[in-house]
Amino acid sequence: MILESISTILLILGAFFSLTGAIGLFRFPDFFTRVHAASVTDSIATILIIFGLILRTDFDLVTVKLLLILVFLLFTSPTASHALAKSARHGGLLTLPEIRATKKEDCSS
Amino acid sequence: MLILTATGIAILAVMALALARALKADTVYDRILGVNMFGTKTSLFIAVIGFLGGRPDFLDIAIVYALINFIGMIAVLRFFEYTATDDALKINSTKQEQL
Amino acid sequence: MTTKSGKKTVYFASWILALAAFWLLLSGYLKPLLLCFGVASVALVVLLLRHMDNIDKQPQKLPLSFAFFRYSSWLMGQIVLSSIEVTKLIWGNSKNLSPAIEKLPVTSSTGRKRVLYANSITLTPGTLSVDVDDDHVTIHALNEKSLDVLRAGKMAKKIATVPVAKN
């Protein structure tokens, strides 16, 4: 019973954080800041939801599988974000501070 | 049971938002970001669905989905790493005018 | 020569044990036919592993250790803290954003520690490693403050204590 209520809290928090990240995708001004918003859903929301589900298992093979999903997602999602940011940078996309810097140069010259 | 349904609906909403982001994005990178989020949320959603239906076998599908999503992401990014420059330059100049 | 072949045996035995445990945990069936499939797949993976080690000459040991688990639990705490920060930024006024980008030096010598460092930076919301080369990591942060935290180098010090196999 206690486990189930803890799991309820974890699941609600996880749902809240993933919605937060999705809204951040729309509210943040440029690509690089949006990656941060996506990483909120990728890291903490995943951890909370998976742990919430783990507390609802009978602690057998299902628990191990859930932990494996968590480990896979925690290893792959930062790698994917990093690859995305790196290819955006190599593709020539500038970050906001850099755009501001070039703007200042244009004004002064 | 109710809370699992609520979580599933919340994840579905997140997936819808991510797809919307991918559809109305201005650079190809934003699109990939939305699609990646859609993919990771899908594997979580499959796990939640497995619990809702009382069929933990769904977790295997979730594992496979997570792995395939990652591999697909890396493959697509390899393809776009040095090609989408025009797109990026256009966005840079519009952002510069907005500031 | 004997110690070398002994080391090799231990190395392959540890991989076989780990793969067999992995297979059993994922399948959970103990029927003879399925067990045979399991043995066959473990044998196939170990053969592939031997072949690949012969090609790239970099045998990879299993990276499990107690220090690694301690580090990951510390990292989970960091993730929670910085997620709350980013959540505040998302729901708050977007004028509070002060995105910054900077190239920070990395002192860790082995490739694996650099990978762990860059991965941890990306995993904590609010900081994102954009580019990694031999002795620098380019970091994009939502807030100037989180860059200062990284500059102080607590995470780098924690990673230095995690024993990672050299390669």
Side-chain angles (χ1 to χ4, degrees):
Chain A
M1 209 57 222
I2 301 170
L3 282 186
E4 203 169 318
S5 40
I6 296 175
S7 138
T8 306
I9 293 170
L10 289 182
L11 284 176
I12 289 174
L13 277 177
F16 167 72
F17 275 112
S18 37
L19 278 174
T20 303
I23 284 164
L25 274 188
F26 286 88
R27 290 198 63 171
F28 277 174
D30 81 323
F31 167 74
F32 287 95
T33 48
R34 274 178 219 137
V35 177
H36 292 291
S39 91
V40 173
T41 59
D42 276 350
S43 56
I44 191 160
T46 313
I47 294 173
L48 287 174
I49 289 178
I50 297 266
F51 272 112
L53 289 180
I54 282 177
L55 292 182
R56 280 169 187 262
T57 60
D58 307 328
F59 297 96
D60 49 1
L61 282 182
V62 176
T63 317
V64 177
K65 274 180 198 165
L66 278 171
L67 278 177
L68 271 178
I69 296 180
L70 183 65
V71 169
F72 282 147
L73 284 178
L74 285 191
F75 270 103
T76 56
S77 77
T79 315
S81 313
H82 170 78
L84 188 57
K86 191 179 163 192
S87 62
R89 207 168 158 71
H90 286 182
L93 202 65
L94 289 180
T95 59
L96 277 181
E98 284 167 338
I99 289 176
R100 258 179 224 135
T102 51
K103 176 106 176 170
K104 260 178 210 154
E105 266 171 37
D106 287 354
C107 289
S108 59
S109 63
Chain B
M1 200 46 96
L2 185 72
I3 184 65
L4 281 177
T5 321
T7 316
I9 290 174
I11 296 178
L12 264 184
V14 172
M15 283 160 72
L17 284 172
L19 257 195
R21 176 80 251 170
L23 285 176
K24 68 175 276 287
D26 35 18
T27 57
V28 68
Y29 307 111
D30 274 308
R31 279 183 217 284
I32 299 175
L33 183 66
V35 170
N36 179 35
M37 198 162 146
F38 184 79
T40 48
K41 288 298 120 181
T42 308
S43 64
L44 272 187
F45 184 65
I46 295 172
V48 173
I49 284 283
F51 272 77
L52 256 180
R55 291 178 62 186
D57 325 340
F58 271 51
L59 291 178
D60 295 317
I61 307 174
I63 292 177
V64 172
Y65 202 97
L67 287 174
I68 289 182
N69 177 49
F70 174 66
I71 293 169
M73 278 293 298
I74 296 298
V76 169
L77 286 172
R78 274 279 140 218
F79 185 67
F80 279 116
E81 186 161 6
Y82 296 100
T83 51
T85 37
D86 291 348
D87 219 11
L89 293 179
K90 213 164 70 192
I91 282 298
N92 284 344
S93 51
T94 51
K95 277 264 150 64
Q96 206 168 30
E97 277 156 24
Q98 277 167 16
L99 277 176
Chain C
M1 204 60 212
T2 47
T3 55
K4 204 176 173 188
S5 65
K7 249 187 196 169
K8 267 224 148 128
T9 324
V10 171
Y11 167 72
F12 280 117
S14 65
W15 268 112
I16 288 172
L17 269 181
L19 286 170
F22 185 62
W23 190 90
L24 278 175
L25 285 175
L26 275 185
S27 101
Y29 285 104
L30 290 172
K31 290 175 191 155
L33 175 71
L34 289 171
L35 276 181
C36 285
F37 286 150
V39 170
S41 48
V42 168
L44 182 69
V45 172
V46 170
L47 272 180
L48 274 177
L49 181 76
R50 210 184 65 152
H51 192 70
M52 284 165 129
D53 283 349
N54 282 342
I55 290 174
D56 71 356
K57 309 280 182 214
Q58 289 180 343
Q60 301 283 327
K61 285 210 186 89
L62 288 168
L64 295 174
S65 66
F66 178 67
F68 185 72
F69 283 109
R70 212 174 43 201
Y71 173 74
S72 6
S73 50
W74 176 79
L75 188 66
M76 289 234 183
Q78 292 303 108
I79 289 172
V80 171
L81 290 181
S82 53
S83 299
I84 291 168
E85 287 287 307
V86 177
T87 307
K88 273 187 208 151
L89 283 175
I90 289 175
W91 290 108
N93 193 341
S94 66
K95 291 213 171 69
N96 291 338
L97 287 179
S98 58
I101 189 158
E102 193 171 310
K103 207 171 181 184
L104 293 183
V106 185
T107 45
S108 342
S109 49
T110 62
R112 275 199 190 182
K113 282 195 179 175
R114 273 204 307 277
V115 169
L116 187 59
Y117 187 47
N119 241 3
S120 311
I121 286 174
T122 314
L123 198 55
T124 46
T127 49
L128 169 72
S129 60
V130 180
D131 214 341
V132 184
D133 58 31
D134 277 345
D135 40 26
H136 286 91
V137 183
T138 311
I139 296 165
H140 181 270
L142 266 187
N143 245 338
E144 298 271 5
K145 259 191 294 174
S146 39
L147 265 184
D148 289 337
V149 173
L150 278 180
R151 234 179 261 133
K154 197 170 173 204
M155 185 184 270
K157 262 178 218 146
K158 287 258 177 192
I159 284 178
T161 63
V162 178
V164 182
K166 271 186 208 154
N167 56 27

